[in-house]
Amino acid sequence: MREPLIFEISKKGRKGCYLPPCDVPTQKVGEMIPEKYLRDKKAELPEVSEIDVVRHFTKLSTYNHGVDTGFYPLGSCTMKYNPKINEELSRLTGFARLHPYQPEETAQGALELMYTLQKDLCQVAGMDKVSLQPAAGAHGELAGIMVIKAYHEKRGDLKRNKVIVPDSAHGTNPATANMAGFKTIEIASNARGEVDLEALARALDDTTAALMLTNPNTLGLFESQILEIAEMVHKAGGLLYYDGANINAVMGYARPGDMGFDVVHFNLHKTMGTPHGGGGPGSGPIGVKKRLAEFLPVPTVEKADDGSFYLNYDMPDSIGKVKAFYGNFLVMVKAYCYIKALGTDGLKEASEVAVLNANYLMENLKKTYHLPYDRICKHEFVINSKNLKPYGVHTLDIAKRLLDFGYHPPTVYFPLIVEEALMIEPTETESRETLDDFIAIMEKIHQEAIDNKELVVNAPYNTVVRRLDEVSAARNPIIRWKKDE
Amino acid sequence: MREPLIFEISKKGRKGCYLPPCDVPTQKVGEMIPEKYLRDKKAELPEVSEIDVVRHFTKLSTYNHGVDTGFYPLGSCTMKYNPKINEELSRLTGFARLHPYQPEETAQGALELMYTLQKDLCQVAGMDKVSLQPAAGAHGELAGIMVIKAYHEKRGDLKRNKVIVPDSAHGTNPATANMAGFKTIEIASNARGEVDLEALARALDDTTAALMLTNPNTLGLFESQILEIAEMVHKAGGLLYYDGANINAVMGYARPGDMGFDVVHFNLHKTMGTPHGGGGPGSGPIGVKKRLAEFLPVPTVEKADDGSFYLNYDMPDSIGKVKAFYGNFLVMVKAYCYIKALGTDGLKEASEVAVLNANYLMENLKKTYHLPYDRICKHEFVINSKNLKPYGVHTLDIAKRLLDFGYHPPTVYFPLIVEEALMIEPTETESRETLDDFIAIMEKIHQEAIDNKELVVNAPYNTVVRRLDEVSAARNPIIRWKKDE
Amino acid sequence: MRYIPNTSEDRQAMLNSLGYEKIEDLFQDIPEQVRKAAVFDVGQGMSEYELKKHVRALAEKNQTVDQCISFMGAGAYDHFIPSFVDQLLLRSEFYTAYTPYQPEISQGTLQAIFEYQSLICELTGMDASNASVYDGATATAEAANMAVAATRRNKILYSKGLHPEYAQTLKTYCWSQGFEVEEVDLEQGITSAGQAEEKLNKKDAACLIVQYPNFYGCVEDLEELAKKVQAQKALLIAVVTEPVALGILKSPGELGADIVAGEAQGFGNHIAFGGPYLGFLAANEKQIRRLPGRIVGKTRDVDGKVGYVLTLQAREQHIRREKASSNICSNQALCALAATMTMSALGKEGLREMAETNLQKAHYAYRQLTSLPQVKAVYPGQAFFNEFVIELPKPAGEVIEELRKEGIWPGVNLSVICEDLNKCLLVCVTELRTKDEIDRLAERLGGVL
Amino acid sequence: MRYIPNTSEDRQAMLNSLGYEKIEDLFQDIPEQVRKAAVFDVGQGMSEYELKKHVRALAEKNQTVDQCISFMGAGAYDHFIPSFVDQLLLRSEFYTAYTPYQPEISQGTLQAIFEYQSLICELTGMDASNASVYDGATATAEAANMAVAATRRNKILYSKGLHPEYAQTLKTYCWSQGFEVEEVDLEQGITSAGQAEEKLNKKDAACLIVQYPNFYGCVEDLEELAKKVQAQKALLIAVVTEPVALGILKSPGELGADIVAGEAQGFGNHIAFGGPYLGFLAANEKQIRRLPGRIVGKTRDVDGKVGYVLTLQAREQHIRREKASSNICSNQALCALAATMTMSALGKEGLREMAETNLQKAHYAYRQLTSLPQVKAVYPGQAFFNEFVIELPKPAGEVIEELRKEGIWPGVNLSVICEDLNKCLLVCVTELRTKDEIDRLAERLGGVL
Ligand SMILES: Cc1ncc(COP(=O)(O)O)c(C=O)c1O
Ligand SMILES: Cc1ncc(COP(=O)(O)O)c(C=O)c1O
C-alpha cells in the first residue's frame, strides 16, 4: 500500500490549515487588480485536510534512510551524526524570526554569531578572511573561483583563462571552472593516486588561473607533495583553490592555508555536522588569504570600534553578490553550535577518529575487496569490485545488496579514475561495532556474489521499491503530476 | 533485524550526553556522605553514545502505530488527531520551565490559563466548579468519588457505603468505587442497552452513595431515561457521577450538569485532543455542582479582586490533595489550545461529525457484522463477530487481521455485556474515504473468515512480530533485563 | 471545520446515505430538555496564528527558571535534559499511540517500557517495576495500598521527612479507604528511629514510609529502619523524589526496602509547573502481583521471535474490576519514555558523574552559605545530597522577595509548606548551577541579611 | 569525545589491530611542516547546557518580527507556516538523509520532490521544474544561463524592477561568464515597454528578465512584454519573489514566459535573517534539458511498482563535468520539502484565500497610509499585490527609527537599496497583519510625520 501522491488524495473543499481571517474592509478584487491579470482558474493544488498532510509526509519519511536510521558510509559526503541540540538552537525565534533587512542594531546576536563563525573558520583553515555567503560547496567553489578571476583581472593579468583539475576531481570542480568562464585542463593522477607533478608542470603556464584540488583527494589520500605543488602553481602565477569537502580528515593536522592554498571553501554540511536535509540546505563559506580579501562577495560581517557588528558592503573590488541576503544563516547557526560544542580539541579529535575509522574499515575490507591504492588513507578510501567481475557482479549490485541489510551504500563509480569504485567514508560518529558489522556484511555479500550471483544482481528485496528503471525515466520523462493524467 | 535492548548495545565507557562540568572546589565524596550510604556498585545503566540512543529510539518508534500512522478506531479512547500546534505551544519555555513553587506573581500566565480552562470546562459540562488536579480519567473518578464521600460524611450520612455501576461500565468505575472504600453494586442493562430502571430502583436505598454512569454509555448509546434516572438517584439521597470519557459525543447537545449529574470527570486526552502518549500523560479534571465545590481537592485556581490569579488552598472541607502540585499542567496547556482553536461552534461541530462518522460506519458495517443494539449511536458503537463463530473465527482474529491492512483494531471484548464485542469509535477527524476503506477491509475480512479461516486466525503477517505468547509471559514473568541474563 | 476533513457536502451526502436530513436527526435520542439546555460558551475559535499569539502572550507573562538563577527543588528538580529527548518524543509513532493494547503494532512502546522497568529496577535495587503511575505522591499512596494488602493491617506510618504534598495525598487516599495514618517525627532532620520502633511495636502497622533522601535533604539510615520494620513484619516503603541521588547512594533495595515509590521527573522531564511527571513504583519479588498499573513482560511470537506484551493483567481494572489492585488505567507513559531515554544517555558513568556533580555543588553551596554569619545550618552534620535547609535571621519570604529582584530564586520557602519553619529555606543545587552562580547567591544573600 | 562513540580503549585496540601505536601514526603522510603549522584555536568545547545558555543569549540579543509589528517584505515574506511543518521536518529520515542517490531507500525525498515539482508547475504555469536551487537570486542567474544556451546570444536584459540583490547576483554571474548585462528602465513603476522593445530590436539579447510583481510591488504586464520578446526570438524570464501572489495573479506561463525563476521562501520557510530559502526554476517543454540541478522523474521498479528517481542526469556536473548545465550539486531540498508541505496544506482554496487576504490587507493599508496628507503614493494607479511604495516628507531612515521605538517596523527603507529613493518606504502587508495593526501603523506614521 504505497502512499499515493498528495494530489491523488485530494478531495474538493478540504483544507489543511487555518489562516488568519481577513479583518479589514474589503474591496472587489477586480477593483484592485485589472481583470486581465487575474487567474481565471485556480492553481491545482491538492485539497487535503491537516491530518492528511501529516499522515502523508509521515508515511513518506518512512521510505527514507537517514543517518539516524543507520550507517551511511557515503564517501565524500561526511554523513556524520547531526547533533540534535543544533536543530533545537537554530530554531530559536531569536534566529528564525529575523528579517534580513531589519536594522543592524536589532540583529546584533545574529551578526556576532556570523562574525565569530568567520573567525573560527579562518582558524580551522588557516586563512585570513571568510565570507559566509555561499549556500553550498559548489556555490563556494564558484564564488572562490570568481575571486581568483577578479584577482587576475585586477592585476591586468587577463590571459589567465584556464583552471587545472586532476582527473580524480569531483564533478563540481570542472563544472565550476566552466561556469566561471574558464577552460578546464584535466591532468592525470600518478600511480600513487596523487597529482602527477610532471603532468602538472606541463599544464602550467601563463594562462593558468588556478589549480583546484582537494586534499586529501577524492581517493582519500593525502597529496604528500602538496608543498611542491603549491610552489609550482604559484611560480607559474596561478593560485591554488582548495575544495574543502574533505576537511573532516585533517582538522588540527593540516590547514589549507599552511599548505599554500589561496582560497578554500567549506562544506559546513559535511565537516561541521549540519544535516544534509535530503539534498540541502548546506552552507559553503569561502576563506581566502589576505591579498584576496578585497574580492570576497559582499557583505562580510565586521566588528566596529564600539564593539558592535555590521554588514560591510564597502568593498569596491568585491566580485559583488553571489546570492540574496547573507547566506544560509540557520545552517550557520548549527555549524557555530557544532564548533562551540567541540572546541579546538574536539574538532581535532573528530578528524583523528574519522581517519582511524576509515583505516580500520579499509584494512579489514581489503582482505576481500581490491584496494587499488594500498596506503594509509585519511577519512575515506576507495575499493572496487574488480575481483567479482568474473562472476558477473558489479559495484552497483553490491550497493543494492547492501540495502537489504539496512545500510546506505558507499558512493559508487566515483572517483572516475577507479573502475567500479566504492568510496567509503565511515566518519568519526560510528562505533567500532558498527564498522565490524558492516565488514561482516560486506564479506557476506562478496561470498554471495561468488556463490549466488543471481541473489546479488537482483537485489534489493527488502525495500519499498526494488531496482527502478532509470533508463525509461530519462527517455520518457514524467516529471510532474498533471490533473488529467 | 529487530532492535536489541538498549542494554544489549552497551559498551564500557560510552556516554550519550555531555554534562555541565563540576566547576566548584571539590571534597572527597566520603567526607560528604558516610561510606555506609554510598553505592559500592554503580547502577547497571547502559553505556551508549548519543547516536546509539537516537538510533535506538528512532528505530523503536517505527515499531509503533499512532494516529499519525493511520486510522485508530479504538472505541472508548477517542483517538482523534492531535493538533501539532498544541505540541509546539505546550513546549514554550514560558510553560515548560516554570517551577511549581515559584512565586505566584511570576506565574500569572500559567495560572490565568488554568483559571480559564476551569471556566471553559464548566461551560462544556454544565458544572459550577472544576479542579484540574487529577492526572487521568481514573484519577478523576477517584477524586470525584472521594468528593461524593466527603459530601455524605459532612452531612453525617455515614451509612452510604455503596456505589452502583451498570454492567456495561468501564473497569475503572468499579475499581474506583472500591479504591474509595465503597462497595460496588452492579446492575444489569436492559434490552435497549441502557440502565434498567427497575434494577436501579431495586439497588437504590439509603446506603447508596452514588451511581456512576457514562452517557452515552460504553455501547455508544445515549441513556434516554437519564432524567428519570437522576431523579431516582437523587430521591434516594445518592449522587450522580458522570464518567466523561464519552463527552466527545455530545458537546453542545447534552451537558452532564443539565442531565442531573453532580460530579463529572473529563479525559482531556480524549475529548480535548491531547495525545495519549502511548499510555499517558493524560489529564482528568473534575467538575462539580455548587454544593460539592467545597470538597474539591486543593488547590484550585482563583481570581483575586485585583485581577491576579492565585492558588487557593483555603478550603477546609476539601478532600485534600490527590497528587503533588497542580495536575498535569502541560497537558492542560494543550487542552486549552484545543478549546481556544475550536471555540464553541468548533466543539459542537466536533461532536456532530464524531456522531455522524460513527453512524455512517455502523450502518455500513451492520450489513456484514452483527449489531446487537440497532439504533442511532453516538460517537461509537459495538458490533460483534457472532456470525463468524460457526467458522471458528473470533473477534480477536478479526482484530489481528486488521493489523495486516495497516489499521489499529477497535477495542475488543469490551463492554463485557456484548459477547465478542468490537467497539468502534472513528472520531470526527477521519474522512469519509478513510471510513469507506475501513468498511471495505472489514467486509473483506468477513469474507476471508468464511472462505479461508486459517488466513484469519493466523494473522497478522505484516507486523514486526506476530501473535505473542501472552500466557507464558504471565505465567513466567520476565519483566526486566538483568545483567547476567 | 477545525481538524475535520469531511466538508459540509461530505456530511450531507453521508447523512443522506443513512436516510437522515440534518445532523440534528442524529441527536433525537437525547431528551429535548437536555438538548435545549446544552448551550455553552467558550468563545469563538481562533486561527492557528491568532492562537499562537494569544498563547505565547500567556507564556510570556511567566518568568522561567532560565530567566533567573534558581535554587528551587523540593520535589521538582531541574536537571539537564539532552536536547534529543524532546525531538524523539515528537516522533508521532510514540506520542499519538494509545496504551499498547495491540502488541504487534506497539513494540516500540512496549520495549521502551521494558527498558524503563529494567532501569528503575537497577536504580532502586528492586526486582520489579511497573510502567509508571501518575507521580511520586500517588506512587506513595499506591505503595501504602500494597502494604495494606500484603500485611492485612491498615495503619500506615510515615516519616515527617516525607514530602508534605506526598503526605497530604497519602492521607487523602487513606481517609477514603478507611486506613489509619500516623506520622513519625524527625530527630535532627532524620526519622526518629526510637519513635518509629515504638509505633511499630504495636504490630498494627502495615508499613513505614520514609523518604530517601528526605524532604529536608537529609539521607536517612534506611538500613536501620528496615531492621525495625522487618522485626514487626511490616513493610518498609522508601520514597525517592530525587532519583539522581541513587547514582551515588546505596539503593533502597540493598538497604532492605520492600517497596520503592518515587518521582522520576528528574530524568528527562521538565519541571513544567508541576506536571506531567511520572511516579515510579518498584517492589521485591513477593509484591509483584500487588503492583498497580501496567507491567510489560518479555515473550515470543508464534515464529519464536522475541516480543513484549502487557502482562500480569489479572491485577488490573479492565480484568478484575472492583477487585483490581488499583483503578489506574492511563499512566505517564511518555514521561517514562523521556526518563528512559535520559537514563540511557546518562548511562552508568554519566549518572554517577551527574550525581557527584550535584553533591559537590550542593556541598560547596552549603559551605559558602553557612559560612555567612547570619545563616544557620538547620541540620548540621547530617549527610545530604543536593538539598539542605538553612535558617535565616528573618522570614524566608522577605529574603526571597528581595533576591528575586536581583534575579535569584534562593530556594523554597519552607513556611509555605510547614508553618513552623518560616525562617527556613530549602536550597537545592543541581549540576546546572555554576560556581559563579553559587557565589553570587552567597554574596547577595549576605547582602540582604 | 563529543559525538564520538569509540572510547580511548576502542581506539587503542583498533590502532593496535592495524599495527599502529598512536593516532599520529595515521597522519604521517602529511608533511611535517604542514602538521606543525596546523595549530588553531576556536576555544574550549562546551557542554550541551553551557552551549544552550550561550547560544540562547545570542538569540536574545536579537529583536524578532514577533516582538514588533512588521511591514517588511522586499524578497523575504513573513507568511503563516502551519505548526506541523517544522515537526515533520524534524523527522530525521528527511533531514539526516543525503541527496537521494539510492532511490530504493529515498522514496520519501524523491516523491516529495516530485510533488514539489508538480506544485511549482501548477503555480507558474510551466511544464517542468527542477528540485530547487539556492535562492531566488541564483535562480535568476541560472535562468539567464539557460537563455544564453538556448539562444546562443550573450546579452542579458533585465528590468529595473528586478530585486536589486537579484540584479547584483545576476551581474556577478554574468561578469564571470563574460555575458553583457543591460538594465531596462521603469516607467511609473513598471518596465518600460518602449525601452524594452528598443533594446530587444537589436536582436542580440538572449532574454528579458522581469519580476512579477516587481520589486516595487507593481504587477507587470507580462503578456505585452512576452510579445515583444518573442518577436525577437529572445526568452522571457519571469522572476517571482512572492509566490503567494500567484494564488490570484495569472501564472507567468499563461502570459508567455519561457522560464520562471523565483523564491519560494514564502511557503513554509521562515524569514530567518535571509536564509536558507529556496530558489525555484521552472521552464517550458523546450528548455527542460537545460535546467540546472536535480530533477525527479516517475518510473517503475522491476516488479512494476511505481517509484521515483533522479532523472535527466546527463545535464549534471557529476556526469557532464565541465559541460554540465550548472555546477550545482546540493540544493535546498529541505526548504523545498517545507514549501511542499505548506502548499499542500493551503491547497487550491487556501492559497487563493491567503492571496486574497494579502491583497485586501495591503490595499487597506495603502488606502489608510496614502490618505495621510504627508504621505504620497509613488506609483498611483498601478496594480499591486501585497507591497507598495510610499514617499514621506522626510528620510525614511528617520521615520523607521522613530516608529521602531513604538514597536513598529513600517517597511523597508529603499534608500539602502537604491540611493535615489531615500524618502521612500516599501511597505509589505501579509495575512499576518491585523486591521488593528495596520490602523496603528497609519496612526503612528501620521504622528511622526
Ligand atoms: C569533493 C566535493 N566537492 C564539492 C562538493 C559539492 O558540495 P555541495 O553539494 O555542497 O555543493 C562535493 C559534494 O558532494 C564533494 O564531495
Ligand atoms: C469509559 C472510560 N472511563 C474511564 C477511563 C479511564 O481513563 P484514563 O485512562 O484516563 O484513566 C476510560 C479509558 O479508557 C474509559 O474509556
Side-chain angles (χ1 to χ4, degrees), chain D residues 132-286:
Chain D
S132 81
V133 294
Y134 306 131
D135 73 350
T138 63
T140 304
E142 293 274 13
N145 275 356
M146 288 171 69
V148 168
T151 60
R152 295 170 187 271
R153 299 172 179 174
N154 61 9
K155 184 196 277 182
I156 310 293
L157 299 179
Y158 75 92
S159 158
K160 201 179 174 173
L162 180 64
H163 193 299
E165 300 215 22
Y166 289 30
Q168 287 162 28
T169 303
L170 176 70
K171 283 184 213 163
T172 306
Y173 273 64
C174 287
W175 156 74
S176 87
Q177 312 226 54
F179 304 157
E180 231 180 296
V181 185
E182 246 180 71
E183 188 174 87
V184 178
D185 261 338
L186 298 184
E187 248 169 57
Q188 292 176 14
I190 60 168
T191 308
S192 161
Q195 205 186 95
E197 188 163 17
E198 204 177 288
K199 291 187 192 268
L200 283 162
N201 283 351
K202 294 186 193 147
K203 295 189 196 301
D204 59 354
C207 59
L208 172 65
I209 303 178
V210 182
Q211 184 172 321
Y212 174 74
N214 72 22
F215 180 71
Y216 303 97
C218 303
V219 181
E220 296 273 1
D221 190 344
L222 280 192
E223 198 162 17
E224 195 196 342
L225 294 168
K227 282 188 204 125
K228 299 196 191 309
V229 170
Q230 276 149 14
Q232 304 305 341
K233 300 208 161 61
L235 303 189
L236 179 65
I237 298 175
V239 172
V240 179
T241 60
E242 170 50 296
V244 173
L246 299 183
I248 197 157
L249 296 180
K250 273 217 172 78
S251 74
E254 221 180 321
L255 299 170
D258 298 282
I259 302 175
V260 187
E263 175 57 64
Q265 166 271 326
F267 289 128
N269 288 276
H270 283 292
I271 46 178
F273 209 46
Y277 291 0
L278 71 149
F280 65 85
L281 202 40
N284 61 21
E285 194 75 40
K286 274 194 272 177

Side-chain angles (χ1 to χ4, degrees), chain A residues 76-77 136-138 141 170 172-173 218 243 245 265 267 269-270, chain D residues 98 134 329-330:
Chain A
S76 206
C77 299
E141 292 178 36
H170 191 259
T172 50
N173 294 181
T218 60
D243 176 336
H265 84 255
N267 294 60
H269 45 304
K270 297 180 179 176
Chain D
Y98 195 74
Y134 306 131
C329 182
S330 291

